[in-house]
Amino acid sequence: EEHVEIDFTTDAPEIGDIYLLCSDGLSRMVDEATIAAILAEHADLDVAATTLIERANEGGGRDNITVILVRVDPPVPLRTLSS
């Protein structure tokens, strides 16, 4: 395609937020409410991503399906090396 539309949002991340980057192979096959329910149900992001892909395939899987999930976790304290 010569023209590609991108949905873009700027947001301040908060601990516990989950960000989803996906292709239209997911967003056209699975509605937002179902995506939200799957993310709420699965704490393990690998399981959530697999479930989203399975759901898109069940819905027809008419296009390539790409899913990337990122969770904002609390910062990990840096360890200091003692001599």
Side-chain angles (χ1 to χ4, degrees), residues 5-50:
E5 288 188 34
I6 298 173
D7 292 330
F8 180 79
T9 303
T10 302
D11 196 12
E14 295 184 22
I15 294 173
D17 284 351
I18 297 174
Y19 288 87
L20 166 64
L21 176 65
C22 68
S23 64
D24 61 354
L26 177 72
S27 61
R28 289 188 180 179
M29 299 280 95
V30 183
D31 62 76
E32 287 184 30
T34 302
I35 291 172
I38 290 169
L39 294 176
E41 179 180 343
H42 299 287
D44 183 321
L45 296 185
D46 288 332
V47 173
T50 299

Side-chain angles (χ1 to χ4, degrees), residues 44-78:
D44 183 321
L45 296 185
D46 288 332
V47 173
T50 299
T51 304
L52 289 169
I53 292 168
E54 289 171 352
R55 191 63 53 90
N57 281 322
E58 291 168 3
R62 289 176 261 170
D63 200 351
N64 293 329
I65 305 162
T66 302
V67 175
I68 299 171
L69 294 171
V70 177
R71 178 181 304 123
V72 180
D73 287 332
V76 176
L78 296 175

